Amino acid sequence: MTGSGDRNRATPADGGARTPGDGVASPADGFAVPTGGAASPAGGAHAPADGAAATPGWVKSARQVERERLRRRRTVRSGSIATASTVLVIVLLLWVFTASPGWPRVRETFFDPGQFVSALPDVLSGFLLNIKIFLIAEPLILVLGLLVALARNLRAPVFFPLRALAVAYTDVFRGVPTILIIYLVGFGLPALGLQGTPTDLATLGIIALTLSYGAYVAEVFRAGIDSVHPSQVAAARSLGLSHGKAMRYVVVPQAVRRVVPPLLNDFVSLQKDTALVATIGPLEALRQAQIHVASTFNYTPYLAAALLFIVLTIPMARFTDYLAARSQRRRGQ
């Protein structure tokens, strides 16, 4: 009598040693195996029993197929629950608002379709000025913020006045509300009477927003620069790069990539704060809405301006979330 090892051992009558391509694992094994096309040591290619041409590849086991089916089922169930709960919350909120005693008055004052259609063209033309202010102020803020961040990282004693000025600028303009900076620049700068001082109200608003947001962006850039490991600078200096070249070619590129999501978040806030420029007179979206409200005593034009800002800021916010998630995935790898 032969043992269990003799029964599992290939014999010459079997046609040689058994190879991995000669058999297919059972579905209970829980993994996929190659089928067909394996060469036999006894000579010649291994052909399927039905005479059809072998198709090399992997076959999913029954256990794997079942796992994928359960995963799809769980995804569909989670999506259905999330959709149902969202719809339920929205319906509940709508019911709470519409069932309140003052809803008819609010609907007449804030949700008048006629006033919305009447005010939308003027509000939209003013909103184009908001976009113009945003597009001009954004690159200026980036340049100013990066220069201030680099100035705060200068360590040589000769640059102490420049570093102190950068610190003072950051502290002052982060501490003063943006609307006050707009007032001070919009009314105070022309009052100086200096030659070449701009008098265009939109230009003065851009200057005020640049000074205000430049302080915040400078701190974002400085955080990104400080996040780069000192060994990066040491390696660059050991290769013969000066401090300026090490910052330009090694540190700043890494810092910029790391701070893109928070920078976009600041620019979402900047797009909204362009409406504050209306306090010094430019006819942007908020000012156009105020003109219609003053003439009709109906606040629906404010709703039109709000919807325009939402249409612009929500895609930027989602793009910011996407970049932040991608950055986390890269760091996780």
Side-chain angles (χ1 to χ4, degrees):
M1 180 180 295
T2 59
S4 60
D6 294 332
R7 288 196 302 268
N8 295 331
R9 188 182 300 120
T11 62
D14 296 329
R18 183 171 298 170
T19 62
D22 293 333
V24 178
S26 64
D29 295 335
F31 56 85
V33 295
T35 60
S40 172
H46 179 77
D50 56 0
T55 55
W58 293 89
V59 177
K60 295 180 181 179
S61 66
R63 186 175 299 175
Q64 183 178 356
V65 172
E66 179 66 15
R67 282 200 299 265
E68 292 180 354
R69 187 183 67 82
L70 291 176
R71 190 179 298 116
R72 287 192 300 268
R73 223 171 128 190
R74 191 180 301 114
T75 302
V76 172
R77 184 179 59 182
S78 300
S80 302
I81 294 175
T83 303
S85 61
T86 303
V87 171
L88 179 62
V89 170
I90 293 176
V91 171
L92 182 61
L93 290 176
L94 290 177
W95 178 80
V96 169
F97 282 112
T98 56
S100 60
W103 169 247
R105 179 64 175 169
V106 171
R107 182 179 57 189
E108 179 185 355
T109 306
F110 288 92
F111 300 97
D112 188 336
Q115 293 293 333
F116 184 92
V117 173
S118 174
L120 184 60
D122 291 334
V123 174
L124 183 59
S125 65
F127 188 68
L128 296 179
L129 180 59
N130 289 97
I131 297 176
K132 178 182 176 181
I133 293 173
F134 170 75
L135 293 178
I136 296 175
E138 181 178 356
L140 296 177
I141 291 170
L142 287 174
V143 173
L144 178 62
L146 182 59
L147 291 177
V148 172
L150 293 175
R152 293 197 63 174
N153 280 275
L154 296 175
R155 302 303 178 191
V158 70
F159 294 117
F160 175 77
L162 190 59
R163 187 167 66 249
L165 182 62
V167 172
Y169 161 76
T170 303
D171 291 343
V172 170
F173 283 92
R174 281 199 309 169
V176 179
T178 303
I179 190 170
L180 292 182
I181 296 175
I182 293 175
Y183 274 126
L184 293 174
V185 173
F187 299 125
L189 196 59
L192 293 176
L194 298 176
Q195 186 177 3
T197 301
T199 57
D200 180 65
L201 297 176
T203 303
L204 293 172
I206 291 172
I207 294 174
L209 290 174
T210 301
L211 291 174
S212 178
Y213 273 83
Y216 293 99
V217 172
E219 289 301 288
V220 173
F221 275 127
R222 190 167 72 95
I225 292 172
D226 292 341
S227 69
V228 178
H229 199 274
S231 62
Q232 300 281 328
V233 180
R237 298 303 297 272
S238 67
L239 294 175
L241 297 181
S242 63
H243 176 76
K245 289 186 176 180
M247 294 295 293
R248 177 182 176 184
Y249 295 110
V250 178
V251 178
V252 172
Q254 297 183 63
V256 170
R257 284 197 299 269
R258 296 181 181 184
V259 301
V260 166
L263 282 179
L264 288 177
N265 189 50
D266 284 340
F267 289 143
V268 170
S269 180
L270 171 65
Q271 175 57 45
K272 296 185 299 180
D273 284 349
T274 56
L276 297 177
V277 180
T279 56
I280 59 176
L283 293 178
E284 47 76 61
L286 179 60
R287 176 62 69 187
Q288 293 283 10
Q290 287 176 339
I291 293 173
H292 278 270
V293 170
S295 61
T296 62
F297 297 99
N298 188 283
Y299 297 103
T300 305
Y302 286 142
L303 177 64
L307 290 178
L308 290 177
F309 280 102
I310 289 175
V311 168
L312 187 62
T313 55
I314 285 183
M316 292 180 61
R318 298 289 73 79
F319 183 62
T320 301
D321 294 340
Y322 164 75
L323 290 180
R326 189 180 68 173
S327 178
Q328 290 180 355
R329 287 195 302 267
R330 287 181 175 179
R331 285 198 301 267
Q333 291 175 355

